[in-house]
Amino acid sequence: MEKNLELFLDNEKAVVSAPKQFFEGDYTEKDLEKELSSIENKFVRKYILEKYSEYTKIGFPIWKRLKINSISLPEYKYEGYFKGIEEDLGLIDFEGTHRKYVLLSDIFSSMGEYIKVDKEKKVKVEYIDRITNDVYKVNGKLVLVRILKTKNFSNNTLRVMADDNAEVEIYNIHVSEENSFSVDNIFIIVEDKAQVKVRDIYIGEGKVAGYLGAKMNGNESNVDVKPYFLGSKSAIFDLQYLLRFVGFENKGSIKAEGALSDEAKVVFRGILDLKRGAKNSEAEEMERCILLSKDSKMEAIPSLLVDENEVTASHAASSAPLDEDAIFYLMSRGFNRKEAKSFILNGIFENLINELSVFGLEEVVKNALKKYIE
């Protein structure tokens, strides 16, 4: 299983303390029986039963940052999860935000696709308050747009295997309503000369635990991750990104930008993990946040783990109110304060808006920005 932190020194291994757990509100064996009665596919049934024994031993984490100490799961309903599978599911096992939530998707997903991409494929999915699990094995080119909307609770998991010379573009758009709670776990395996581009967008007022991990097993690959966030009211975005460099001459970057208003908060944890043998690899991490109110907050927790000398690695983070000098400059050129603020905020999201316009989704960001410019 891919752990978020792999800390070894000679024959010693560091142990990361686990959060306290709770089991109340979890699915039961009756829920499992109900699910299995809906699934005829022997490969899916086998996979679910293999994972269930581990699932029952782990509770849901009590997350202080997100203020989560209880859960309300939706009633299980089968809606075609992994329908049509004709082989054993040898899926990537990973820790994610917390192992419990990855297993929750593995076992109790109502929806999910298992797709092999040999040439070129464009996929657009939209999930609203669902537990889902999607898998893509890519030999050609995949463009994936995921729209994840949460009104109450959602738990979504995505696995991508990018084979040699594969091209993968992923656009995740998370929209959360006030008082909602959502979890999104993504893991990507990257082989030789694969190109991976991810735009991870968080908009709204809810509590969100997000995780994206990429492991560069191959050589001469590139992983370009750009998270964006717009939080308001009492939103809490607890986001974790992991780039693990195993092969040589790989490039990987995490460059996050966003804005927060009211009492919104973002916790940003970026891990650049360069293993021994990852020679001539380049790793970069950057976070920048504009605070639009005195009560909004960004907490950056960068981690740079380097076990190879011949690499280039860096990280930086900043959070600050709107630049009053920039506001003054724009106002001296004839713009009023509202217009000046609009120019600055739109500048952060301009490239993203242009990228989303290809799919006709630019209004999602434009409409969200409007409330921050008032």
Side-chain angles (χ1 to χ4, degrees), residues 264-282:
K265 178 181 179 180
V266 63
V267 179
F268 196 98
R269 289 173 287 167
I271 303 172
L272 301 176
D273 186 7
L274 294 103
K275 298 298 187 184
R276 187 168 299 174
K279 293 181 181 297
N280 300 319
S281 291
E282 298 177 17

mmCIF file with all atom_site columns, all heavy atoms in Angstrom, residues 264-282:
data_model
loop_
_atom_site.group_PDB
_atom_site.id
_atom_site.type_symbol
_atom_site.label_atom_id
_atom_site.label_alt_id
_atom_site.label_comp_id
_atom_site.label_asym_id
_atom_site.label_entity_id
_atom_site.label_seq_id
_atom_site.pdbx_PDB_ins_code
_atom_site.Cartn_x
_atom_site.Cartn_y
_atom_site.Cartn_z
_atom_site.occupancy
_atom_site.B_iso_or_equiv
_atom_site.pdbx_formal_charge
_atom_site.auth_seq_id
_atom_site.auth_comp_id
_atom_site.auth_asym_id
_atom_site.auth_atom_id
_atom_site.pdbx_PDB_model_num
ATOM 1   N N   . ALA A 1 264 ? -13.385 31.414 6.332   1.00 0.00 ? 264 ALA A N   1
ATOM 2   C CA  . ALA A 1 264 ? -12.896 30.244 5.594   1.00 0.00 ? 264 ALA A CA  1
ATOM 3   C C   . ALA A 1 264 ? -11.428 29.969 5.907   1.00 0.00 ? 264 ALA A C   1
ATOM 4   O O   . ALA A 1 264 ? -10.655 30.874 6.212   1.00 0.00 ? 264 ALA A O   1
ATOM 5   C CB  . ALA A 1 264 ? -13.087 30.459 4.101   1.00 0.00 ? 264 ALA A CB  1
ATOM 6   N N   . LYS A 1 265 ? -11.072 28.687 5.786   1.00 0.00 ? 265 LYS A N   1
ATOM 7   C CA  . LYS A 1 265 ? -9.710  28.267 6.102   1.00 0.00 ? 265 LYS A CA  1
ATOM 8   C C   . LYS A 1 265 ? -9.257  27.190 5.123   1.00 0.00 ? 265 LYS A C   1
ATOM 9   O O   . LYS A 1 265 ? -10.046 26.332 4.717   1.00 0.00 ? 265 LYS A O   1
ATOM 10  C CB  . LYS A 1 265 ? -9.656  27.708 7.533   1.00 0.00 ? 265 LYS A CB  1
ATOM 11  C CG  . LYS A 1 265 ? -8.290  27.189 7.960   1.00 0.00 ? 265 LYS A CG  1
ATOM 12  C CD  . LYS A 1 265 ? -8.330  26.635 9.389   1.00 0.00 ? 265 LYS A CD  1
ATOM 13  C CE  . LYS A 1 265 ? -6.973  26.097 9.818   1.00 0.00 ? 265 LYS A CE  1
ATOM 14  N NZ  . LYS A 1 265 ? -7.008  25.564 11.200  1.00 0.00 ? 265 LYS A NZ  1
ATOM 15  N N   . VAL A 1 266 ? -8.008  27.244 4.734   1.00 0.00 ? 266 VAL A N   1
ATOM 16  C CA  . VAL A 1 266 ? -7.417  26.168 3.949   1.00 0.00 ? 266 VAL A CA  1
ATOM 17  C C   . VAL A 1 266 ? -6.172  25.656 4.670   1.00 0.00 ? 266 VAL A C   1
ATOM 18  O O   . VAL A 1 266 ? -5.356  26.446 5.161   1.00 0.00 ? 266 VAL A O   1
ATOM 19  C CB  . VAL A 1 266 ? -7.078  26.617 2.505   1.00 0.00 ? 266 VAL A CB  1
ATOM 20  C CG1 . VAL A 1 266 ? -6.040  27.728 2.492   1.00 0.00 ? 266 VAL A CG1 1
ATOM 21  C CG2 . VAL A 1 266 ? -6.584  25.434 1.673   1.00 0.00 ? 266 VAL A CG2 1
ATOM 22  N N   . VAL A 1 267 ? -6.074  24.348 4.794   1.00 0.00 ? 267 VAL A N   1
ATOM 23  C CA  . VAL A 1 267 ? -4.872  23.692 5.300   1.00 0.00 ? 267 VAL A CA  1
ATOM 24  C C   . VAL A 1 267 ? -4.248  22.993 4.101   1.00 0.00 ? 267 VAL A C   1
ATOM 25  O O   . VAL A 1 267 ? -4.867  22.124 3.488   1.00 0.00 ? 267 VAL A O   1
ATOM 26  C CB  . VAL A 1 267 ? -5.191  22.677 6.408   1.00 0.00 ? 267 VAL A CB  1
ATOM 27  C CG1 . VAL A 1 267 ? -3.902  22.003 6.895   1.00 0.00 ? 267 VAL A CG1 1
ATOM 28  C CG2 . VAL A 1 267 ? -5.912  23.347 7.559   1.00 0.00 ? 267 VAL A CG2 1
ATOM 29  N N   . PHE A 1 268 ? -3.036  23.380 3.771   1.00 0.00 ? 268 PHE A N   1
ATOM 30  C CA  . PHE A 1 268 ? -2.398  22.867 2.560   1.00 0.00 ? 268 PHE A CA  1
ATOM 31  C C   . PHE A 1 268 ? -1.136  22.108 2.942   1.00 0.00 ? 268 PHE A C   1
ATOM 32  O O   . PHE A 1 268 ? -0.175  22.677 3.440   1.00 0.00 ? 268 PHE A O   1
ATOM 33  C CB  . PHE A 1 268 ? -2.045  24.006 1.605   1.00 0.00 ? 268 PHE A CB  1
ATOM 34  C CG  . PHE A 1 268 ? -1.752  23.537 0.209   1.00 0.00 ? 268 PHE A CG  1
ATOM 35  C CD1 . PHE A 1 268 ? -2.726  23.594 -0.769  1.00 0.00 ? 268 PHE A CD1 1
ATOM 36  C CD2 . PHE A 1 268 ? -0.512  23.032 -0.124  1.00 0.00 ? 268 PHE A CD2 1
ATOM 37  C CE1 . PHE A 1 268 ? -2.468  23.144 -2.051  1.00 0.00 ? 268 PHE A CE1 1
ATOM 38  C CE2 . PHE A 1 268 ? -0.243  22.575 -1.395  1.00 0.00 ? 268 PHE A CE2 1
ATOM 39  C CZ  . PHE A 1 268 ? -1.224  22.633 -2.368  1.00 0.00 ? 268 PHE A CZ  1
ATOM 40  N N   . ARG A 1 269 ? -1.160  20.796 2.688   1.00 0.00 ? 269 ARG A N   1
ATOM 41  C CA  . ARG A 1 269 ? -0.011  19.951 3.002   1.00 0.00 ? 269 ARG A CA  1
ATOM 42  C C   . ARG A 1 269 ? 0.539   19.372 1.699   1.00 0.00 ? 269 ARG A C   1
ATOM 43  O O   . ARG A 1 269 ? -0.129  18.567 1.039   1.00 0.00 ? 269 ARG A O   1
ATOM 44  C CB  . ARG A 1 269 ? -0.422  18.824 3.949   1.00 0.00 ? 269 ARG A CB  1
ATOM 45  C CG  . ARG A 1 269 ? -0.734  19.304 5.357   1.00 0.00 ? 269 ARG A CG  1
ATOM 46  C CD  . ARG A 1 269 ? -1.300  18.201 6.220   1.00 0.00 ? 269 ARG A CD  1
ATOM 47  N NE  . ARG A 1 269 ? -2.672  17.892 5.846   1.00 0.00 ? 269 ARG A NE  1
ATOM 48  C CZ  . ARG A 1 269 ? -3.332  16.818 6.260   1.00 0.00 ? 269 ARG A CZ  1
ATOM 49  N NH1 . ARG A 1 269 ? -2.721  15.924 7.010   1.00 0.00 ? 269 ARG A NH1 1
ATOM 50  N NH2 . ARG A 1 269 ? -4.578  16.612 5.904   1.00 0.00 ? 269 ARG A NH2 1
ATOM 51  N N   . GLY A 1 270 ? 1.716   19.810 1.337   1.00 0.00 ? 270 GLY A N   1
ATOM 52  C CA  . GLY A 1 270 ? 2.352   19.318 0.126   1.00 0.00 ? 270 GLY A CA  1
ATOM 53  C C   . GLY A 1 270 ? 3.591   18.517 0.475   1.00 0.00 ? 270 GLY A C   1
ATOM 54  O O   . GLY A 1 270 ? 4.423   18.955 1.273   1.00 0.00 ? 270 GLY A O   1
ATOM 55  N N   . ILE A 1 271 ? 3.710   17.328 -0.119  1.00 0.00 ? 271 ILE A N   1
ATOM 56  C CA  . ILE A 1 271 ? 4.854   16.455 0.153   1.00 0.00 ? 271 ILE A CA  1
ATOM 57  C C   . ILE A 1 271 ? 5.583   16.167 -1.160  1.00 0.00 ? 271 ILE A C   1
ATOM 58  O O   . ILE A 1 271 ? 4.987   15.634 -2.102  1.00 0.00 ? 271 ILE A O   1
ATOM 59  C CB  . ILE A 1 271 ? 4.408   15.123 0.789   1.00 0.00 ? 271 ILE A CB  1
ATOM 60  C CG1 . ILE A 1 271 ? 3.617   15.374 2.081   1.00 0.00 ? 271 ILE A CG1 1
ATOM 61  C CG2 . ILE A 1 271 ? 5.618   14.237 1.073   1.00 0.00 ? 271 ILE A CG2 1
ATOM 62  C CD1 . ILE A 1 271 ? 2.983   14.124 2.664   1.00 0.00 ? 271 ILE A CD1 1
ATOM 63  N N   . LEU A 1 272 ? 6.852   16.535 -1.212  1.00 0.00 ? 272 LEU A N   1
ATOM 64  C CA  . LEU A 1 272 ? 7.715   16.172 -2.325  1.00 0.00 ? 272 LEU A CA  1
ATOM 65  C C   . LEU A 1 272 ? 8.671   15.098 -1.806  1.00 0.00 ? 272 LEU A C   1
ATOM 66  O O   . LEU A 1 272 ? 9.505   15.373 -0.945  1.00 0.00 ? 272 LEU A O   1
ATOM 67  C CB  . LEU A 1 272 ? 8.498   17.378 -2.840  1.00 0.00 ? 272 LEU A CB  1
ATOM 68  C CG  . LEU A 1 272 ? 7.671   18.572 -3.326  1.00 0.00 ? 272 LEU A CG  1
ATOM 69  C CD1 . LEU A 1 272 ? 8.582   19.732 -3.719  1.00 0.00 ? 272 LEU A CD1 1
ATOM 70  C CD2 . LEU A 1 272 ? 6.770   18.179 -4.496  1.00 0.00 ? 272 LEU A CD2 1
ATOM 71  N N   . ASP A 1 273 ? 8.531   13.884 -2.300  1.00 0.00 ? 273 ASP A N   1
ATOM 72  C CA  . ASP A 1 273 ? 9.264   12.733 -1.775  1.00 0.00 ? 273 ASP A CA  1
ATOM 73  C C   . ASP A 1 273 ? 10.170  12.180 -2.884  1.00 0.00 ? 273 ASP A C   1
ATOM 74  O O   . ASP A 1 273 ? 9.704   11.499 -3.797  1.00 0.00 ? 273 ASP A O   1
ATOM 75  C CB  . ASP A 1 273 ? 8.260   11.675 -1.313  1.00 0.00 ? 273 ASP A CB  1
ATOM 76  C CG  . ASP A 1 273 ? 8.942   10.502 -0.615  1.00 0.00 ? 273 ASP A CG  1
ATOM 77  O OD1 . ASP A 1 273 ? 10.153  10.569 -0.383  1.00 0.00 ? 273 ASP A OD1 1
ATOM 78  O OD2 . ASP A 1 273 ? 8.225   9.522  -0.298  1.00 0.00 ? 273 ASP A OD2 1
ATOM 79  N N   . LEU A 1 274 ? 11.464  12.506 -2.798  1.00 0.00 ? 274 LEU A N   1
ATOM 80  C CA  . LEU A 1 274 ? 12.423  12.085 -3.819  1.00 0.00 ? 274 LEU A CA  1
ATOM 81  C C   . LEU A 1 274 ? 13.230  10.906 -3.298  1.00 0.00 ? 274 LEU A C   1
ATOM 82  O O   . LEU A 1 274 ? 14.055  11.048 -2.391  1.00 0.00 ? 274 LEU A O   1
ATOM 83  C CB  . LEU A 1 274 ? 13.338  13.241 -4.205  1.00 0.00 ? 274 LEU A CB  1
ATOM 84  C CG  . LEU A 1 274 ? 12.617  14.409 -4.904  1.00 0.00 ? 274 LEU A CG  1
ATOM 85  C CD1 . LEU A 1 274 ? 12.402  15.564 -3.938  1.00 0.00 ? 274 LEU A CD1 1
ATOM 86  C CD2 . LEU A 1 274 ? 13.373  14.869 -6.126  1.00 0.00 ? 274 LEU A CD2 1
ATOM 87  N N   . LYS A 1 275 ? 12.988  9.736  -3.877  1.00 0.00 ? 275 LYS A N   1
ATOM 88  C CA  . LYS A 1 275 ? 13.620  8.511  -3.423  1.00 0.00 ? 275 LYS A CA  1
ATOM 89  C C   . LYS A 1 275 ? 15.042  8.378  -3.975  1.00 0.00 ? 275 LYS A C   1
ATOM 90  O O   . LYS A 1 275 ? 15.397  8.997  -4.976  1.00 0.00 ? 275 LYS A O   1
ATOM 91  C CB  . LYS A 1 275 ? 12.787  7.301  -3.864  1.00 0.00 ? 275 LYS A CB  1
ATOM 92  C CG  . LYS A 1 275 ? 11.385  7.264  -3.273  1.00 0.00 ? 275 LYS A CG  1
ATOM 93  C CD  . LYS A 1 275 ? 11.418  7.157  -1.772  1.00 0.00 ? 275 LYS A CD  1
ATOM 94  C CE  . LYS A 1 275 ? 10.031  6.953  -1.187  1.00 0.00 ? 275 LYS A CE  1
ATOM 95  N NZ  . LYS A 1 275 ? 10.043  6.935  0.287   1.00 0.00 ? 275 LYS A NZ  1
ATOM 96  N N   . ARG A 1 276 ? 15.821  7.539  -3.320  1.00 0.00 ? 276 ARG A N   1
ATOM 97  C CA  . ARG A 1 276 ? 17.164  7.253  -3.809  1.00 0.00 ? 276 ARG A CA  1
ATOM 98  C C   . ARG A 1 276 ? 17.087  6.616  -5.202  1.00 0.00 ? 276 ARG A C   1
ATOM 99  O O   . ARG A 1 276 ? 16.337  5.662  -5.429  1.00 0.00 ? 276 ARG A O   1
ATOM 100 C CB  . ARG A 1 276 ? 17.874  6.312  -2.845  1.00 0.00 ? 276 ARG A CB  1
ATOM 101 C CG  . ARG A 1 276 ? 19.347  6.071  -3.153  1.00 0.00 ? 276 ARG A CG  1
ATOM 102 C CD  . ARG A 1 276 ? 20.026  5.364  -2.000  1.00 0.00 ? 276 ARG A CD  1
ATOM 103 N NE  . ARG A 1 276 ? 19.963  6.168  -0.782  1.00 0.00 ? 276 ARG A NE  1
ATOM 104 C CZ  . ARG A 1 276 ? 20.377  5.740  0.407   1.00 0.00 ? 276 ARG A CZ  1
ATOM 105 N NH1 . ARG A 1 276 ? 20.853  4.512  0.530   1.00 0.00 ? 276 ARG A NH1 1
ATOM 106 N NH2 . ARG A 1 276 ? 20.299  6.525  1.473   1.00 0.00 ? 276 ARG A NH2 1
ATOM 107 N N   . GLY A 1 277 ? 17.830  7.188  -6.120  1.00 0.00 ? 277 GLY A N   1
ATOM 108 C CA  . GLY A 1 277 ? 17.770  6.718  -7.499  1.00 0.00 ? 277 GLY A CA  1
ATOM 109 C C   . GLY A 1 277 ? 17.017  7.660  -8.416  1.00 0.00 ? 277 GLY A C   1
ATOM 110 O O   . GLY A 1 277 ? 17.061  7.512  -9.638  1.00 0.00 ? 277 GLY A O   1
ATOM 111 N N   . ALA A 1 278 ? 16.339  8.670  -7.836  1.00 0.00 ? 278 ALA A N   1
ATOM 112 C CA  . ALA A 1 278 ? 15.566  9.628  -8.641  1.00 0.00 ? 278 ALA A CA  1
ATOM 113 C C   . ALA A 1 278 ? 16.485  10.730 -9.171  1.00 0.00 ? 278 ALA A C   1
ATOM 114 O O   . ALA A 1 278 ? 16.206  11.932 -9.024  1.00 0.00 ? 278 ALA A O   1
ATOM 115 C CB  . ALA A 1 278 ? 14.436  10.217 -7.805  1.00 0.00 ? 278 ALA A CB  1
ATOM 116 N N   . LYS A 1 279 ? 17.563  10.342 -9.792  1.00 0.00 ? 279 LYS A N   1
ATOM 117 C CA  . LYS A 1 279 ? 18.589  11.292 -10.229 1.00 0.00 ? 279 LYS A CA  1
ATOM 118 C C   . LYS A 1 279 ? 18.051  12.255 -11.286 1.00 0.00 ? 279 LYS A C   1
ATOM 119 O O   . LYS A 1 279 ? 17.238  11.904 -12.122 1.00 0.00 ? 279 LYS A O   1
ATOM 120 C CB  . LYS A 1 279 ? 19.798  10.532 -10.786 1.00 0.00 ? 279 LYS A CB  1
ATOM 121 C CG  . LYS A 1 279 ? 20.560  9.724  -9.761  1.00 0.00 ? 279 LYS A CG  1
ATOM 122 C CD  . LYS A 1 279 ? 21.749  9.031  -10.389 1.00 0.00 ? 279 LYS A CD  1
ATOM 123 C CE  . LYS A 1 279 ? 22.504  8.187  -9.377  1.00 0.00 ? 279 LYS A CE  1
ATOM 124 N NZ  . LYS A 1 279 ? 23.090  8.986  -8.297  1.00 0.00 ? 279 LYS A NZ  1
ATOM 125 N N   . ASN A 1 280 ? 18.552  13.502 -11.184 1.00 0.00 ? 280 ASN A N   1
ATOM 126 C CA  . ASN A 1 280 ? 18.228  14.553 -12.157 1.00 0.00 ? 280 ASN A CA  1
ATOM 127 C C   . ASN A 1 280 ? 16.734  14.862 -12.233 1.00 0.00 ? 280 ASN A C   1
ATOM 128 O O   . ASN A 1 280 ? 16.245  15.334 -13.259 1.00 0.00 ? 280 ASN A O   1
ATOM 129 C CB  . ASN A 1 280 ? 18.752  14.184 -13.549 1.00 0.00 ? 280 ASN A CB  1
ATOM 130 C CG  . ASN A 1 280 ? 20.263  14.006 -13.564 1.00 0.00 ? 280 ASN A CG  1
ATOM 131 O OD1 . ASN A 1 280 ? 21.000  14.776 -12.950 1.00 0.00 ? 280 ASN A OD1 1
ATOM 132 N ND2 . ASN A 1 280 ? 20.734  12.968 -14.241 1.00 0.00 ? 280 ASN A ND2 1
ATOM 133 N N   . SER A 1 281 ? 16.025  14.592 -11.163 1.00 0.00 ? 281 SER A N   1
ATOM 134 C CA  . SER A 1 281 ? 14.607  14.943 -11.103 1.00 0.00 ? 281 SER A CA  1
ATOM 135 C C   . SER A 1 281 ? 14.442  16.363 -10.574 1.00 0.00 ? 281 SER A C   1
ATOM 136 O O   . SER A 1 281 ? 15.298  16.882 -9.850  1.00 0.00 ? 281 SER A O   1
ATOM 137 C CB  . SER A 1 281 ? 13.845  13.961 -10.210 1.00 0.00 ? 281 SER A CB  1
ATOM 138 O OG  . SER A 1 281 ? 13.786  12.684 -10.811 1.00 0.00 ? 281 SER A OG  1
ATOM 139 N N   . GLU A 1 282 ? 13.335  16.984 -10.939 1.00 0.00 ? 282 GLU A N   1
ATOM 140 C CA  . GLU A 1 282 ? 13.042  18.352 -10.529 1.00 0.00 ? 282 GLU A CA  1
ATOM 141 C C   . GLU A 1 282 ? 11.688  18.384 -9.827  1.00 0.00 ? 282 GLU A C   1
ATOM 142 O O   . GLU A 1 282 ? 10.677  17.946 -10.394 1.00 0.00 ? 282 GLU A O   1
ATOM 143 C CB  . GLU A 1 282 ? 13.025  19.288 -11.742 1.00 0.00 ? 282 GLU A CB  1
ATOM 144 C CG  . GLU A 1 282 ? 14.357  19.366 -12.470 1.00 0.00 ? 282 GLU A CG  1
ATOM 145 C CD  . GLU A 1 282 ? 14.297  20.247 -13.703 1.00 0.00 ? 282 GLU A CD  1
ATOM 146 O OE1 . GLU A 1 282 ? 13.338  21.049 -13.812 1.00 0.00 ? 282 GLU A OE1 1
ATOM 147 O OE2 . GLU A 1 282 ? 15.184  20.130 -14.565 1.00 0.00 ? 282 GLU A OE2 1
#
